Amino acid sequence: MKKSVAIIGAGITGLTAAFYLKRAGVPVTVYEASERVGGVIQSLRQDGYLAEFGPNTLLETSPKIGQLVRDAGLTARRLDPDPKAEARYVVRYGRPIAMPGSPLGFFFTKLFTAKAKLAVLREPFIQPRRDGVEESIAQFVVRRFNQEFLDHAIDALVAGIYAGNPYKLSLTHAFPKLKALEDNYGSMIKGQILGARDRKKSGEVAKDRAPKFSFDEGLQVLPDTLAANLGDALKLNAAVTRLAQTGDGWRATTASGEVEHRVVIYCGTAYRLAELQIAALKPVDLAAFAEIRYPPVASVILGFRREDVAHRCSGFGMLIPRVEGFKVLGTIFSSALFPNRAPAGYLTLTSYVGGERQPELASLPPEKLFSLVCEDLRVLLGVRGHPTFAHSVFWPRAIPQYNVGYGRYRDLMTEIETKAPGLFFAGHARDGVSLSDSIVSGSNVAERVEKALAAPVPYRRVQTGS
Ligand SMILES: Cc1cc2nc3c(=O)[nH]c(=O)nc-3n(C[C@H](O)[C@H](O)[C@H](O)COP(=O)(O)OP(=O)(O)OC[C@H]3O[C@@H](n4cnc5c(N)ncnc54)[C@H](O)[C@@H]3O)c2cc1C
């Protein structure tokens, strides 16, 4: 069996792990259930438009992101956004208002009332909570700022990242950096200012300041390149349905048969993990992973003639809080960010519908989705006429919700790794839901596995009866 590694899932986590293990000389096999690589990354080039149905940008929050781009030989294909497209809008009073770009700008913005501005000034003087109780992001924001700040800013942000519900998402698990600011500096505002030096030392960059980028032909370029490097080691249409622990490794079952590996890395979704049959030497129960909620989301990509859109759409995009009563969660001004996303004289707008806010809308037929999104864009951006390009993708289970109590699932993964040596977990259900989190997760798990392979085999040869 030598030291072969089975990687389950050819999303960006699995592909990153496979890339680094292969580079280190470790034989890998990547099993992917579907007929394509990239997982939720999905770019479509058609009629001069480029549509991203999954993630739109990659945030360079860690040096490992740029490293992967360089190691994969993709530096020349990296596409940085138009520097003019920095503005972010949040909808208030039924129209998009630019978010303030500086502390001074905050005091003049129309986005918040004087009361909310005062709450921000007061925040450094609010005692940090030290009783260890796990809060939702909503409880945290109301405690440190006020209800208005939650309803008109954080709710929109939460919709943009998780398509989630702020009253359910855990501060500890979904927003660990905010929690760390309070824990380490006693205040968000103080932490923002004083923490800059510590972040610089660690090489980590805060999400709101991290450079974002894509590739000339969209994010799909990254998984496609990593997959090409794998050659025959990539097995598509190869769902792993069963894992059996042998004396010195694991037997993985797919529809084509059984293969023995020394190590298995699970890089798939939590709901498919719950369906995996596992015969380990010590009893391991994966059923709890079925409880993790992934709300449905529809990505709706529309192209318009430039003259049919009144708003300049010259920023990153707009976020829409629930209290504003629209159906769209948020819209990215895709061709303002990356001009090659639309033909000259046209623009591309990428909108999201559904999530925890209105899950029932995500599964509407495409024609209904197009008209519902067009109606919101008409009011918010002054869009007229029919779209010149219209595509949507329905994600029945889009993004895992790191709700209060999520630590249970992370602890369970750690416990299973200890109980069943040679089985590793990585990816969005464990290490954070952004693309950059998944790359860091894939790169870290490759390092962990390399170390494990270098150590002597700690287990006896025992048959599991399979
Ligand atoms: C609509 C949408 C928009 C997003 N926008 C952004 C964004 O702009 N920026 C950002 O940073 N992040 C964004 N994200 C999040 C980010 O894209 C994901 O967190 C990240 O791509 C997850 O990668 P992954 O490899 O961990 O998982 P996935 O992409 O889910 O890949 C898992 C793979 O495992 C396979 N698999 C599962 N079980 C098995 C099995 N038993 N056998 C074989 N294969 C299996 C699946 O088929 C899948 O291909 C977005 C996500 C969505 C859904």
Side-chain angles (χ1 to χ4, degrees):
M1 179 180 15
K2 286 197 241 137
K3 290 188 168 180
S4 86
V5 174
I7 294 170
I8 303 179
I12 198 62
T13 307
L15 291 171
T16 304
F19 178 80
Y20 281 120
L21 283 169
K22 189 175 174 218
R23 231 169 66 126
V26 177
V28 293
T29 305
V30 178
Y31 296 97
E32 168 53 47
S34 74
E35 71 297 340
R36 54 176 292 281
V37 296
V40 299
I41 300 173
Q42 202 176 324
S43 321
L44 170 80
R45 167 70 79 189
Q46 195 179 300
D47 303 332
Y49 291 92
L50 195 145
E52 292 281 15
F53 296 115
N56 268 258
T57 51
L58 180 45
L59 283 179
E60 213 167 346
T61 46
S62 151
K64 293 190 175 178
I65 313 299
Q67 190 62 47
L68 178 66
V69 173
R70 285 190 295 279
D71 291 342
L74 286 173
T75 306
R77 301 192 62 185
R78 178 183 164 133
L79 191 63
D80 294 312
D82 185 337
K84 293 195 295 293
E86 268 302 303
R88 287 164 183 265
Y89 296 83
V90 175
V91 170
R92 184 147 195 193
Y93 313 115
R95 65 193 161 92
I97 298 180
M99 277 169 71
S102 66
L104 192 65
F106 177 79
F107 292 99
F108 292 103
T109 181
K110 292 195 169 70
L111 209 46
F112 302 109
T113 64
K115 216 168 149 195
K117 291 175 189 176
L118 215 65
V120 171
L121 283 178
R122 231 182 19 231
E123 194 271 349
F125 305 99
I126 299 210
Q127 284 303 307
R129 186 167 182 171
R130 305 271 188 217
D131 60 7
V133 172
E134 188 180 344
E135 284 181 305
S136 69
I137 180 72
Q139 285 171 314
F140 173 78
V141 171
V142 172
R143 175 167 63 76
R144 296 211 63 86
F145 297 93
N146 71 357
Q147 187 71 35
E148 178 185 342
F149 212 70
L150 171 67
D151 291 343
H152 291 278
I154 302 303
D155 177 82
L157 185 82
V158 160
I161 303 173
Y162 284 90
N165 178 343
Y167 290 91
K168 290 189 177 167
L169 282 166
S170 159
L171 172 71
T172 309
H173 295 286
F175 297 92
K177 293 203 170 137
L178 293 191
K179 166 124 178 68
L181 288 182
E182 183 177 53
D183 288 349
N184 300 336
Y185 303 96
S187 141
M188 306 261 306
I189 306 288
K190 279 196 251 172
Q192 280 295 340
I193 299 162
L194 302 174
R197 206 182 40 211
D198 297 340
R199 279 194 295 273
K200 206 170 168 189
K201 246 191 268 162
S202 72
E204 302 296 313
V205 185
K207 281 199 164 87
D208 57 335
R209 279 186 222 122
K212 49 186 166 305
F213 67 95
S214 181
F215 298 95
D216 50 1
E217 290 300 310
L219 287 170
Q220 186 73 42
V221 166
L222 183 56
D224 283 354
T225 305
L226 298 177
N229 177 266
L230 285 171
D232 290 350
L234 170 68
K235 313 286 179 207
L236 295 177
N237 299 306
V240 174
T241 50
R242 187 167 196 275
L243 288 175
Q245 195 175 13
T246 61
D248 55 359
W250 291 85
R251 192 180 309 125
T253 307
T254 66
S256 335
E258 293 180 343
V259 184
E260 301 233 344
H261 297 277
R262 175 83 179 273
V263 162
V264 174
I265 314 177
Y266 185 82
C267 304
T269 53
Y271 52 88
R272 287 200 75 147
L273 178 59
E275 291 164 9
L276 200 63
Q277 288 177 43
I278 189 154
L281 300 178
K282 290 186 188 160
V284 159
D285 190 3
L286 303 175
F289 295 111
E291 296 161 10
I292 298 176
R293 189 166 155 73
Y294 286 65
V297 171
S299 310
V300 182
I301 292 86
L302 300 175
F304 294 97
R305 295 189 314 163
R306 177 61 272 193
E307 63 263 34
D308 284 345
V309 181
H311 195 277
R312 283 187 303 135
C313 293
S314 61
F316 180 89
M318 64 177 171
L319 291 168
I320 310 174
R322 176 194 289 267
V323 288
E324 289 292 318
F326 290 90
K327 302 218 162 56
V328 167
L329 299 171
T331 298
I332 297 177
F333 304 156
S334 307
S335 55
L337 268 184
F338 303 112
N340 78 345
R341 270 38 175 171
Y346 292 79
L347 51 82
T348 308
L349 300 173
T350 303
S351 303
Y352 301 96
V353 175
E356 290 292 44
R357 199 182 284 176
Q358 287 168 299
E360 67 289 355
L361 296 181
S363 57
L364 287 174
E367 289 307 325
K368 286 228 164 89
L369 276 174
F370 299 152
S371 62
L372 165 161
V373 172
C374 279
E375 176 53 22
D376 278 2
L377 297 183
R378 185 185 65 74
V379 177
L380 290 167
L381 302 177
V383 166
R384 288 171 305 181
H386 291 291
T388 49
F389 175 90
H391 276 273
S392 67
V393 161
F394 170 48
W395 300 102
R397 290 189 272 195
I399 297 174
Q401 300 298 296
Y402 284 18
N403 287 339
V404 172
Y406 198 84
R408 174 169 173 237
Y409 308 110
R410 288 177 146 170
D411 291 348
L412 195 54
M413 289 189 208
T414 309
E415 188 190 313
I416 295 172
E417 284 184 346
T418 316
K419 269 191 181 169
L423 178 57
F424 291 80
F425 297 100
H428 67 266
R430 185 184 206 181
D431 294 329
V433 303
S434 76
L435 204 47
S436 32
D437 291 334
S438 289
I439 290 174
V440 173
S441 173
S443 153
N444 287 346
V445 80
E447 282 172 28
R448 286 201 289 142
V449 166
E450 259 193 86
K451 273 198 202 126
L453 288 174
V457 181
Y459 20 90
R460 292 171 295 128
R461 178 165 281 282
V462 183
Q463 286 305 318
T464 51
S466 46

